[in-house]
């Protein structure tokens, strides 16, 4: 069995650091590419996407780096269908749970978060909890890839409301990471862990990868 993907502990010096400061710290971490496009046509022009992930026991820290030809950001209300926009996604199941969370964000930070065992009959996470998400977006036109944007996300563990006793340190999880844009001029579906399915579908936990959230270094 392959070793689990490790999610490092990031020691933030301040109690409530600025998002720009966290974002800069994330830039020195190893980046993971979304290198699979299982439903792309041969010769299609696809975005290039990487991410870096860490945690500080209070929150999951996740940063995406995206180059794409066109962007779309039509949705601005919590739990809107942001997957139709330029969207990055993180799916996670904790401690062997058969159900999982899907966390989806368009390129201006609008979140959609649900929990459940499969693609249908999912439960939205309360908008009150979504208010605690912090994010920082940087966007640049006229890059070689068309448009570059990055998004730094601070995801408090309280978001995972079906796991009220969640302790991130040393927790085992299963994860996958995605980029999509269902309503873009050229729709695309990228993933970190490859998916084998006839039609685009990110809600296939059989293709999640094992992961572990590491303990704070030198913790007694």
């Amino acid at each position: 069995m392959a070793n689990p993907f490790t999610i490092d502990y990031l020691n933030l010096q301040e109690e409530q650091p600025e998002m720009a400061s966290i974002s800069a710290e994330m830039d020195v971490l190893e980046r993971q590419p979304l290198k699979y496009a299982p439903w792309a046509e041969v010769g299609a022009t696809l975005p290039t996407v990487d991410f870096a992930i860490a945690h500080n026991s209070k929150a999951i820290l996740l940063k995406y780096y995206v180059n794409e030809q066109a962007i779309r950001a039509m949705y601005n209300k919590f739990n809107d269908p942001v997957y139709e926009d330029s969207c990055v996604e993180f799916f996670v199941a904790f401690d062997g749970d058969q159900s999982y969370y899907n966390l989806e964000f368009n390129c201006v930070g609008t979140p959609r978060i649900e929990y459940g065992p499969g693609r249908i009959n999912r439960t939205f996470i309360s908008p009150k909890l979504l208010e605690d998400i912090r994010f920082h977006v940087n966007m640049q036109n006229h890059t070689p890839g068309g448009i570059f944007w990055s998004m730094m996300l601070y995801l408090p563990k309280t978001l995972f409301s079906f796991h009220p006793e969640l302790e991130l340190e040393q927790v085992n999880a299963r994860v996958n990471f995605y980029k999509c844009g269902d309503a873009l001029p050229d729709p695309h579906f990228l993933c970190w862990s490859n998916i084998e399915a006839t039609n685009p579908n990110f809600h296939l936990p059989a293709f999640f990868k094992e992961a572990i959230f590491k303990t704070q270094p030198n913790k007694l």
Side-chain angles (χ1 to χ4, degrees), residues 95-118:
D95 274 337
D97 191 351
Q98 295 305 302
S99 294
Y100 58 92
Y101 298 87
N102 58 295
L103 298 91
E104 308 175 9
F105 303 86
N106 69 7
C107 60
V108 293
T110 305
R112 176 188 178 95
I113 303 181
E114 300 168 291
Y115 175 79

PDB file of all heavy atoms in Angstrom, residues 95-118:
ATOM      1  N   ASP A  95     -11.357   9.972   9.186  1.00  0.00           N
ATOM      2  CA  ASP A  95     -11.375   8.795  10.067  1.00  0.00           C
ATOM      3  C   ASP A  95     -12.276   7.665   9.594  1.00  0.00           C
ATOM      4  O   ASP A  95     -13.060   7.105  10.371  1.00  0.00           O
ATOM      5  CB  ASP A  95     -11.780   9.221  11.481  1.00  0.00           C
ATOM      6  CG  ASP A  95     -10.587   9.686  12.306  1.00  0.00           C
ATOM      7  OD1 ASP A  95      -9.452   9.282  11.970  1.00  0.00           O
ATOM      8  OD2 ASP A  95     -10.782  10.438  13.270  1.00  0.00           O
ATOM      9  N   GLY A  96     -12.169   7.318   8.336  1.00  0.00           N
ATOM     10  CA  GLY A  96     -12.915   6.173   7.835  1.00  0.00           C
ATOM     11  C   GLY A  96     -14.384   6.415   7.592  1.00  0.00           C
ATOM     12  O   GLY A  96     -15.128   5.482   7.257  1.00  0.00           O
ATOM     13  N   ASP A  97     -14.838   7.661   7.762  1.00  0.00           N
ATOM     14  CA  ASP A  97     -16.243   7.987   7.528  1.00  0.00           C
ATOM     15  C   ASP A  97     -16.589   7.727   6.062  1.00  0.00           C
ATOM     16  O   ASP A  97     -15.853   8.121   5.157  1.00  0.00           O
ATOM     17  CB  ASP A  97     -16.472   9.462   7.875  1.00  0.00           C
ATOM     18  CG  ASP A  97     -17.941   9.860   7.915  1.00  0.00           C
ATOM     19  OD1 ASP A  97     -18.792   9.052   7.506  1.00  0.00           O
ATOM     20  OD2 ASP A  97     -18.228  10.988   8.348  1.00  0.00           O
ATOM     21  N   GLN A  98     -17.723   7.076   5.818  1.00  0.00           N
ATOM     22  CA  GLN A  98     -18.154   6.833   4.452  1.00  0.00           C
ATOM     23  C   GLN A  98     -18.713   8.090   3.794  1.00  0.00           C
ATOM     24  O   GLN A  98     -18.811   8.166   2.572  1.00  0.00           O
ATOM     25  CB  GLN A  98     -19.193   5.710   4.424  1.00  0.00           C
ATOM     26  CG  GLN A  98     -18.639   4.370   4.859  1.00  0.00           C
ATOM     27  CD  GLN A  98     -17.414   3.958   4.049  1.00  0.00           C
ATOM     28  OE1 GLN A  98     -17.485   3.841   2.818  1.00  0.00           O
ATOM     29  NE2 GLN A  98     -16.289   3.742   4.725  1.00  0.00           N
ATOM     30  N   SER A  99     -19.118   9.059   4.601  1.00  0.00           N
ATOM     31  CA  SER A  99     -19.561  10.349   4.078  1.00  0.00           C
ATOM     32  C   SER A  99     -18.377  11.309   4.022  1.00  0.00           C
ATOM     33  O   SER A  99     -17.361  11.110   4.694  1.00  0.00           O
ATOM     34  CB  SER A  99     -20.680  10.935   4.936  1.00  0.00           C
ATOM     35  OG  SER A  99     -21.850  10.138   4.852  1.00  0.00           O
ATOM     36  N   TYR A 100     -18.509  12.362   3.240  1.00  0.00           N
ATOM     37  CA  TYR A 100     -17.402  13.282   3.021  1.00  0.00           C
ATOM     38  C   TYR A 100     -17.942  14.689   2.807  1.00  0.00           C
ATOM     39  O   TYR A 100     -19.124  14.898   2.524  1.00  0.00           O
ATOM     40  CB  TYR A 100     -16.574  12.838   1.801  1.00  0.00           C
ATOM     41  CG  TYR A 100     -17.390  12.746   0.519  1.00  0.00           C
ATOM     42  CD1 TYR A 100     -17.494  13.829  -0.357  1.00  0.00           C
ATOM     43  CD2 TYR A 100     -18.092  11.590   0.203  1.00  0.00           C
ATOM     44  CE1 TYR A 100     -18.267  13.762  -1.509  1.00  0.00           C
ATOM     45  CE2 TYR A 100     -18.864  11.501  -0.944  1.00  0.00           C
ATOM     46  CZ  TYR A 100     -18.947  12.592  -1.790  1.00  0.00           C
ATOM     47  OH  TYR A 100     -19.721  12.527  -2.919  1.00  0.00           O
ATOM     48  N   TYR A 101     -17.053  15.657   2.953  1.00  0.00           N
ATOM     49  CA  TYR A 101     -17.355  17.064   2.717  1.00  0.00           C
ATOM     50  C   TYR A 101     -16.852  17.459   1.333  1.00  0.00           C
ATOM     51  O   TYR A 101     -15.745  17.075   0.941  1.00  0.00           O
ATOM     52  CB  TYR A 101     -16.669  17.958   3.748  1.00  0.00           C
ATOM     53  CG  TYR A 101     -17.094  17.718   5.179  1.00  0.00           C
ATOM     54  CD1 TYR A 101     -16.462  16.755   5.961  1.00  0.00           C
ATOM     55  CD2 TYR A 101     -18.125  18.463   5.748  1.00  0.00           C
ATOM     56  CE1 TYR A 101     -16.836  16.532   7.279  1.00  0.00           C
ATOM     57  CE2 TYR A 101     -18.500  18.258   7.070  1.00  0.00           C
ATOM     58  CZ  TYR A 101     -17.857  17.289   7.816  1.00  0.00           C
ATOM     59  OH  TYR A 101     -18.249  17.074   9.124  1.00  0.00           O
ATOM     60  N   ASN A 102     -17.652  18.217   0.600  1.00  0.00           N
ATOM     61  CA  ASN A 102     -17.159  18.874  -0.617  1.00  0.00           C
ATOM     62  C   ASN A 102     -17.124  20.375  -0.360  1.00  0.00           C
ATOM     63  O   ASN A 102     -18.115  20.976   0.028  1.00  0.00           O
ATOM     64  CB  ASN A 102     -18.022  18.542  -1.836  1.00  0.00           C
ATOM     65  CG  ASN A 102     -19.476  18.927  -1.687  1.00  0.00           C
ATOM     66  OD1 ASN A 102     -20.186  18.377  -0.831  1.00  0.00           O
ATOM     67  ND2 ASN A 102     -19.958  19.856  -2.517  1.00  0.00           N
ATOM     68  N   LEU A 103     -15.950  20.949  -0.518  1.00  0.00           N
ATOM     69  CA  LEU A 103     -15.732  22.378  -0.326  1.00  0.00           C
ATOM     70  C   LEU A 103     -15.372  22.959  -1.687  1.00  0.00           C
ATOM     71  O   LEU A 103     -14.348  22.586  -2.280  1.00  0.00           O
ATOM     72  CB  LEU A 103     -14.610  22.642   0.671  1.00  0.00           C
ATOM     73  CG  LEU A 103     -14.839  22.130   2.100  1.00  0.00           C
ATOM     74  CD1 LEU A 103     -14.303  20.716   2.267  1.00  0.00           C
ATOM     75  CD2 LEU A 103     -14.173  23.051   3.117  1.00  0.00           C
ATOM     76  N   GLU A 104     -16.219  23.852  -2.192  1.00  0.00           N
ATOM     77  CA  GLU A 104     -16.074  24.391  -3.542  1.00  0.00           C
ATOM     78  C   GLU A 104     -16.064  25.916  -3.469  1.00  0.00           C
ATOM     79  O   GLU A 104     -16.866  26.515  -2.740  1.00  0.00           O
ATOM     80  CB  GLU A 104     -17.224  23.901  -4.418  1.00  0.00           C
ATOM     81  CG  GLU A 104     -17.404  22.384  -4.377  1.00  0.00           C
ATOM     82  CD  GLU A 104     -18.615  21.892  -5.156  1.00  0.00           C
ATOM     83  OE1 GLU A 104     -19.231  22.701  -5.883  1.00  0.00           O
ATOM     84  OE2 GLU A 104     -18.948  20.693  -5.037  1.00  0.00           O
ATOM     85  N   PHE A 105     -15.179  26.539  -4.259  1.00  0.00           N
ATOM     86  CA  PHE A 105     -15.008  27.986  -4.223  1.00  0.00           C
ATOM     87  C   PHE A 105     -14.808  28.516  -5.633  1.00  0.00           C
ATOM     88  O   PHE A 105     -13.941  28.014  -6.357  1.00  0.00           O
ATOM     89  CB  PHE A 105     -13.785  28.376  -3.377  1.00  0.00           C
ATOM     90  CG  PHE A 105     -13.843  27.871  -1.971  1.00  0.00           C
ATOM     91  CD1 PHE A 105     -13.388  26.590  -1.670  1.00  0.00           C
ATOM     92  CD2 PHE A 105     -14.366  28.649  -0.960  1.00  0.00           C
ATOM     93  CE1 PHE A 105     -13.454  26.104  -0.375  1.00  0.00           C
ATOM     94  CE2 PHE A 105     -14.424  28.173   0.334  1.00  0.00           C
ATOM     95  CZ  PHE A 105     -13.979  26.899   0.637  1.00  0.00           C
ATOM     96  N   ASN A 106     -15.586  29.531  -6.006  1.00  0.00           N
ATOM     97  CA  ASN A 106     -15.286  30.165  -7.288  1.00  0.00           C
ATOM     98  C   ASN A 106     -14.136  31.147  -7.111  1.00  0.00           C
ATOM     99  O   ASN A 106     -13.628  31.352  -5.988  1.00  0.00           O
ATOM    100  CB  ASN A 106     -16.524  30.796  -7.921  1.00  0.00           C
ATOM    101  CG  ASN A 106     -17.066  32.012  -7.185  1.00  0.00           C
ATOM    102  OD1 ASN A 106     -16.457  32.506  -6.230  1.00  0.00           O
ATOM    103  ND2 ASN A 106     -18.208  32.504  -7.625  1.00  0.00           N
ATOM    104  N   CYS A 107     -13.710  31.771  -8.193  1.00  0.00           N
ATOM    105  CA  CYS A 107     -12.468  32.548  -8.177  1.00  0.00           C
ATOM    106  C   CYS A 107     -12.569  33.872  -7.423  1.00  0.00           C
ATOM    107  O   CYS A 107     -11.566  34.587  -7.312  1.00  0.00           O
ATOM    108  CB  CYS A 107     -11.967  32.775  -9.599  1.00  0.00           C
ATOM    109  SG  CYS A 107     -13.114  33.670 -10.663  1.00  0.00           S
ATOM    110  N   VAL A 108     -13.747  34.209  -6.911  1.00  0.00           N
ATOM    111  CA  VAL A 108     -13.877  35.380  -6.035  1.00  0.00           C
ATOM    112  C   VAL A 108     -14.203  34.960  -4.603  1.00  0.00           C
ATOM    113  O   VAL A 108     -14.557  35.786  -3.774  1.00  0.00           O
ATOM    114  CB  VAL A 108     -14.923  36.385  -6.571  1.00  0.00           C
ATOM    115  CG1 VAL A 108     -14.443  37.011  -7.872  1.00  0.00           C
ATOM    116  CG2 VAL A 108     -16.292  35.742  -6.747  1.00  0.00           C
ATOM    117  N   GLY A 109     -14.101  33.666  -4.321  1.00  0.00           N
ATOM    118  CA  GLY A 109     -14.195  33.187  -2.949  1.00  0.00           C
ATOM    119  C   GLY A 109     -15.565  32.769  -2.464  1.00  0.00           C
ATOM    120  O   GLY A 109     -15.722  32.464  -1.279  1.00  0.00           O
ATOM    121  N   THR A 110     -16.569  32.723  -3.333  1.00  0.00           N
ATOM    122  CA  THR A 110     -17.899  32.291  -2.907  1.00  0.00           C
ATOM    123  C   THR A 110     -17.871  30.788  -2.618  1.00  0.00           C
ATOM    124  O   THR A 110     -17.490  30.001  -3.485  1.00  0.00           O
ATOM    125  CB  THR A 110     -18.949  32.576  -3.991  1.00  0.00           C
ATOM    126  OG1 THR A 110     -18.907  33.958  -4.336  1.00  0.00           O
ATOM    127  CG2 THR A 110     -20.343  32.219  -3.508  1.00  0.00           C
ATOM    128  N   PRO A 111     -18.292  30.376  -1.394  1.00  0.00           N
ATOM    129  CA  PRO A 111     -18.190  28.962  -1.041  1.00  0.00           C
ATOM    130  C   PRO A 111     -19.502  28.197  -1.206  1.00  0.00           C
ATOM    131  O   PRO A 111     -20.599  28.738  -1.070  1.00  0.00           O
ATOM    132  CB  PRO A 111     -17.819  29.024   0.446  1.00  0.00           C
ATOM    133  CG  PRO A 111     -18.534  30.247   0.945  1.00  0.00           C
ATOM    134  CD  PRO A 111     -18.568  31.223  -0.218  1.00  0.00           C
ATOM    135  N   ARG A 112     -19.342  26.913  -1.475  1.00  0.00           N
ATOM    136  CA  ARG A 112     -20.433  25.938  -1.448  1.00  0.00           C
ATOM    137  C   ARG A 112     -19.866  24.709  -0.729  1.00  0.00           C
ATOM    138  O   ARG A 112     -18.894  24.107  -1.194  1.00  0.00           O
ATOM    139  CB  ARG A 112     -20.866  25.578  -2.862  1.00  0.00           C
ATOM    140  CG  ARG A 112     -21.942  24.475  -2.955  1.00  0.00           C
ATOM    141  CD  ARG A 112     -22.141  24.056  -4.402  1.00  0.00           C
ATOM    142  NE  ARG A 112     -23.109  22.971  -4.553  1.00  0.00           N
ATOM    143  CZ  ARG A 112     -24.399  23.145  -4.817  1.00  0.00           C
ATOM    144  NH1 ARG A 112     -24.884  24.382  -4.955  1.00  0.00           N
ATOM    145  NH2 ARG A 112     -25.212  22.109  -4.944  1.00  0.00           N
ATOM    146  N   ILE A 113     -20.470  24.352   0.403  1.00  0.00           N
ATOM    147  CA  ILE A 113     -19.955  23.240   1.198  1.00  0.00           C
ATOM    148  C   ILE A 113     -21.117  22.336   1.605  1.00  0.00           C
ATOM    149  O   ILE A 113     -22.127  22.807   2.132  1.00  0.00           O
ATOM    150  CB  ILE A 113     -19.190  23.735   2.444  1.00  0.00           C
ATOM    151  CG1 ILE A 113     -18.049  24.672   2.029  1.00  0.00           C
ATOM    152  CG2 ILE A 113     -18.645  22.560   3.241  1.00  0.00           C
ATOM    153  CD1 ILE A 113     -17.229  25.202   3.175  1.00  0.00           C
ATOM    154  N   GLU A 114     -20.925  21.038   1.353  1.00  0.00           N
ATOM    155  CA  GLU A 114     -21.943  20.047   1.668  1.00  0.00           C
ATOM    156  C   GLU A 114     -21.306  18.827   2.316  1.00  0.00           C
ATOM    157  O   GLU A 114     -20.087  18.660   2.293  1.00  0.00           O
ATOM    158  CB  GLU A 114     -22.666  19.606   0.392  1.00  0.00           C
ATOM    159  CG  GLU A 114     -23.380  20.710  -0.366  1.00  0.00           C
ATOM    160  CD  GLU A 114     -23.807  20.248  -1.752  1.00  0.00           C
ATOM    161  OE1 GLU A 114     -22.918  20.041  -2.602  1.00  0.00           O
ATOM    162  OE2 GLU A 114     -25.019  20.086  -1.967  1.00  0.00           O
ATOM    163  N   TYR A 115     -22.176  17.957   2.843  1.00  0.00           N
ATOM    164  CA  TYR A 115     -21.724  16.716   3.476  1.00  0.00           C
ATOM    165  C   TYR A 115     -22.702  15.605   3.135  1.00  0.00           C
ATOM    166  O   TYR A 115     -23.917  15.828   3.100  1.00  0.00           O
ATOM    167  CB  TYR A 115     -21.661  16.901   4.995  1.00  0.00           C
ATOM    168  CG  TYR A 115     -21.313  15.657   5.768  1.00  0.00           C
ATOM    169  CD1 TYR A 115     -19.995  15.220   5.869  1.00  0.00           C
ATOM    170  CD2 TYR A 115     -22.310  14.918   6.404  1.00  0.00           C
ATOM    171  CE1 TYR A 115     -19.671  14.081   6.593  1.00  0.00           C
ATOM    172  CE2 TYR A 115     -21.992  13.775   7.128  1.00  0.00           C
ATOM    173  CZ  TYR A 115     -20.677  13.360   7.220  1.00  0.00           C
ATOM    174  OH  TYR A 115     -20.354  12.231   7.933  1.00  0.00           O
ATOM    175  N   GLY A 116     -22.180  14.424   2.872  1.00  0.00           N
ATOM    176  CA  GLY A 116     -23.047  13.291   2.591  1.00  0.00           C
ATOM    177  C   GLY A 116     -22.264  12.131   2.021  1.00  0.00           C
ATOM    178  O   GLY A 116     -21.056  12.227   1.779  1.00  0.00           O
ATOM    179  N   PRO A 117     -22.939  11.002   1.767  1.00  0.00           N
ATOM    180  CA  PRO A 117     -22.254   9.796   1.310  1.00  0.00           C
ATOM    181  C   PRO A 117     -22.082   9.692  -0.193  1.00  0.00           C
ATOM    182  O   PRO A 117     -21.365   8.810  -0.656  1.00  0.00           O
ATOM    183  CB  PRO A 117     -23.176   8.678   1.810  1.00  0.00           C
ATOM    184  CG  PRO A 117     -24.541   9.306   1.764  1.00  0.00           C
ATOM    185  CD  PRO A 117     -24.349  10.758   2.115  1.00  0.00           C
ATOM    186  N   GLY A 118     -22.741  10.550  -0.975  1.00  0.00           N
ATOM    187  CA  GLY A 118     -22.661  10.458  -2.416  1.00  0.00           C
ATOM    188  C   GLY A 118     -23.089  11.744  -3.083  1.00  0.00           C
ATOM    189  O   GLY A 118     -23.319  12.759  -2.425  1.00  0.00           O
TER     190      GLY A 118
END
